[in-house]
């Protein structure tokens, strides 16, 4: 349970730092975006590192949510506290969405995709899908 809180905190902080360090180009023009990335290399590198660490942390929370939902569907014991904590990911994405829509949507899609990929359905001891 503490691990889930740490993953939530890391994902939220890294998402905020990624959004604050990424260049803001309005209206969005691809050449201006790339130019801003090249003229501020340290800030851009830190934003990319925070993006990577944050989406991996959020993917662990998404994986836990989906695994517990699958346990609920196949009538296996569910760890309700971890499942409840994983639901707290949605308000954090809503908060990040208020800061920057595009980057948060990209962050969310990477997190959900990697979280779904990382589920181990071959583990026959825990899941028996019929």
């Amino acid at each position: 349970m503490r691990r889930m809180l740490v993953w939530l905190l890391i994902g939220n902080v890294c998402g905020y730092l990624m959004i604050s360090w990424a260049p803001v180009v309005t209206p969005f023009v691809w050449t201006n975006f790339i130019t801003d990335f090249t003229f501020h290399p340290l800030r851009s590198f830190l934003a990319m590192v925070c993006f990577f660490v944050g989406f991996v942390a959020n993917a662990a929370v998404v994986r836990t949510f989906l695994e517990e939902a699958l346990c609920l569907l196949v009538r296996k014991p569910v760890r309700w506290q971890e499942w409840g904590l994983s639901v707290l990911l949605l308000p954090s994405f809503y908060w990040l969405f208020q800061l920057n829509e595009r980057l948060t949507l990209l962050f969310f899609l990477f997190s959900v995709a990697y979280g779904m990929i990382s589920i181990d359905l071959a583990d026959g001891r825990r899941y028996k899908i019929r």
Side-chain angles (χ1 to χ4, degrees):
M1 184 157 136
R2 280 189 223 149
R3 186 182 325 155
M4 184 67 61
L5 285 173
V6 169
W7 286 127
L8 281 168
L9 182 67
I10 288 172
N12 206 8
V13 168
C14 285
Y16 174 74
L17 291 175
M18 182 260 313
I19 288 172
S20 65
W21 284 333
V24 178
V25 180
T26 50
F28 186 78
V29 178
W30 184 252
T31 55
N32 292 348
F33 183 75
I34 296 298
T35 304
D36 204 4
F37 252 94
T38 56
F39 284 147
H40 304 286
L42 180 63
R43 194 173 74 180
S44 302
F45 176 73
L46 291 175
M48 287 185 279
V49 168
C50 283
F51 178 81
F52 180 74
V53 171
F55 95 76
V56 169
N58 286 334
V61 176
V62 168
R63 182 185 65 224
T64 301
F65 177 78
L66 293 175
E67 284 178 345
E68 297 305 319
L70 188 60
C71 283
L72 187 66
L73 287 175
V74 296
R75 295 184 178 95
K76 295 284 183 181
V78 177
R79 297 176 300 216
W80 291 103
Q81 292 174 340
E82 286 192 12
W83 198 49
L85 281 176
S86 64
V87 173
L88 291 177
L89 188 65
L90 294 175
S92 71
F93 274 119
Y94 178 75
W95 174 65
L96 292 174
F97 191 77
Q98 298 301 316
L99 299 174
N100 190 331
E101 298 89 12
R102 288 184 181 177
L103 289 177
T104 303
L105 183 63
L106 186 67
F107 195 55
F108 177 75
L109 291 176
F110 269 81
S111 298
V112 169
Y114 191 70
M116 290 173 64
I117 289 170
S118 65
I119 294 175
D120 186 18
L121 293 177
D123 187 11
R125 294 172 289 143
R126 188 148 184 213
Y127 314 113
K128 290 224 184 226
I129 301 173
R130 296 173 194 202

